[in-house]
Amino acid sequence: MPQVYLNGRFMAPEDAQISPMDRGFLFADGIYEVIPAYNGVLFRFEEHLARLERSLAEVDIRNPHSPAQWLALCDELLHHNGDGNLSVYLQITRGAAQKRDHAFPSPAVTPTVFMMTSPIAVPAVDSPDTAVGIKAITLDDIRWARCDIKSVSLLPNSLLRQQAVAAGAAEAILLRDGFVTEGSASNVFVVKGGTIATPPKSHAILGGITRDLVVELCHQHGLALQEREITEMQLRQADEIWITSSTKEVVPVTHLNDAIIGNGQPGPQWKSLARHYVQHKRRLCGLDTPETRD
Ligand code: PDD
């Protein structure tokens, strides 16, 4: 039976109750993280925690737990849910106030902490030779000016993703003033002439933990990588497009709007990066997938 965590207790999801006065419910006044775990081992935990601390600080919500407490909570939640390959979702809201007021409650109220797990589907990088790509569409980035904060206020992202799904695509790649920002729930990479590029970190995108790992792996393995602006034209003319996120890892985009990217198959740079990614994951989490078995 799945277990979730709410404000100090583990319980069945149907037993978790939150006040309608919670500012997460009334104002989407909260921060979240999604941390993958393989074989029950949290992946890039310190990086996710550092981003969580930064997001909380940016919106002035007190971090209710120390890093050691967060680690213990995540481990216990994973354990209650059978370990394995799961993502941990954790959300902290400013808490429930007496009345609805746009300004923060004063004195501050106790933050609400909610955590749950979800299964991670077998990612494309695990089988680079047989993986198939996804379709994406381009849409205008209609979100706010602080997309670097991992806020639970995801209505624009949700609307954008739904538009992609309605068009038979798996992701929306967003454009602001003619430049690529990111996906509705992912970061974006393009490859042209062997060089990999991804937009630089700014307030316009979430600083993805997977994005940072891909950048690190490219540097480590001598794959040419630039962090620079990408125009809509450069996106359309790319040899390869990838999207990255903690739950999907690195996914090749082989169809963009009505056009084929490259030859319509995952490209050679993606395959090479996928192998490095899986090796790295295997080293850190003790995985033994058929592709990586010696
Ligand atoms: N989303 N950009 C946006 C807007 C995202 O929502 C996400 C991830 C990313 C990738 O970040 P990371 O590599 O740290 O997961 C980029 C998560 C998975 C979600 O909302 O479920």
Side-chain angles (χ1 to χ4, degrees):
M1 213 227 317
Q3 292 269 295
V4 300
Y5 172 90
L6 179 65
N7 295 336
R9 285 199 306 122
F10 292 91
M11 60 191 81
E14 56 273 23
D15 294 332
Q17 293 185 353
I18 295 175
S19 164
M21 294 308 287
D22 195 287
R23 290 180 59 95
F25 182 68
L26 293 176
F27 294 108
D29 184 357
I31 294 299
Y32 77 108
E33 267 301 325
V34 179
I35 313 173
Y38 304 102
N39 272 355
V41 181
L42 290 156
F43 188 63
R44 308 281 282 189
F45 179 76
E46 286 76 20
E47 288 81 354
H48 281 279
L49 208 63
R51 185 173 65 186
L52 177 70
E53 298 222 16
R54 178 182 179 278
S55 292
L56 288 170
E58 289 294 326
V59 301
D60 203 14
I61 295 179
R62 180 176 63 81
N63 188 344
H65 297 305
S66 68
Q69 287 171 332
W70 280 120
L71 181 60
L73 285 174
C74 289
D75 278 342
E76 192 171 347
L77 184 69
L78 285 168
H79 195 61
H80 282 308
N81 288 283
D83 290 315
N85 297 344
L86 296 169
S87 64
V88 175
Y89 174 88
L90 64 89
Q91 171 171 343
I92 301 129
T93 75
R94 198 176 306 279
Q98 295 273 318
K99 59 181 171 72
R100 180 179 177 274
D101 184 348
H102 288 64
F104 301 167
S106 176
V109 289
T110 308
T112 301
V113 178
F114 173 68
M115 299 167 73
M116 64 178 171
T117 61
S118 308
I120 298 181
V122 178
V125 290
D126 280 6
S127 31
D129 292 323
T130 50
V132 289
I134 59 156
K135 176 179 169 174
I137 61 169
T138 50
L139 291 175
D140 278 342
D141 194 340
I142 56 169
R143 303 171 305 157
W144 70 329
R146 289 304 305 273
C147 296
D148 56 311
I149 300 171
K150 203 162 171 63
S151 150
V152 295
S153 176
L154 290 173
L155 182 58
N157 304 62
S158 174
L159 292 173
L160 291 160
R161 171 63 70 82
Q162 185 53 36
Q163 250 182 285
V165 169
E171 182 57 304
I173 295 182
L174 310 179
L175 298 164
R176 199 184 281 264
D177 302 326
F179 292 96
V180 173
T181 53
E182 60 182 339
S184 71
S186 58
N187 292 110
V188 176
F189 288 73
V190 299
V191 182
K192 187 72 182 177
T195 298
I196 303 158
T198 193
K201 287 202 222 172
S202 71
H203 285 179
I205 69 169
L206 182 75
I209 306 300
T210 321
R211 171 203 179 278
D212 288 353
L213 175 56
V214 168
V215 168
E216 254 175 63
L217 289 173
C218 288
H219 290 321
Q220 251 175 47
H221 296 280
L223 304 176
L225 176 117
Q226 298 172 341
E227 295 181 67
R228 63 161 173 82
E229 300 292 357
I230 297 165
T231 65
E232 179 173 3
M233 191 56 82
Q234 288 166 341
L235 176 75
R236 289 179 189 280
Q237 294 178 346
D239 299 332
E240 299 182 28
I241 301 174
W242 317 335
I243 57 163
T244 63
S245 83
S246 291
T247 45
K248 305 246 164 56
E249 304 188 339
V250 193
V251 179
V253 175
T254 48
H255 294 78
L256 183 70
N257 301 327
D258 289 325
I260 288 175
I261 298 301
N263 64 2
Q265 302 294 323
Q269 294 288 86
W270 177 78
K271 286 188 183 172
S272 134
L273 191 276
R275 290 200 174 85
H276 296 311
Y277 196 100
V278 169
Q279 266 168 25
H280 181 82
K281 198 167 66 163
R282 180 191 181 197
R283 252 199 321 276
L284 287 185
C285 300
L287 288 174
D288 192 17
T289 60
E291 283 284 331
T292 57
R293 210 168 280 149
D294 293 326

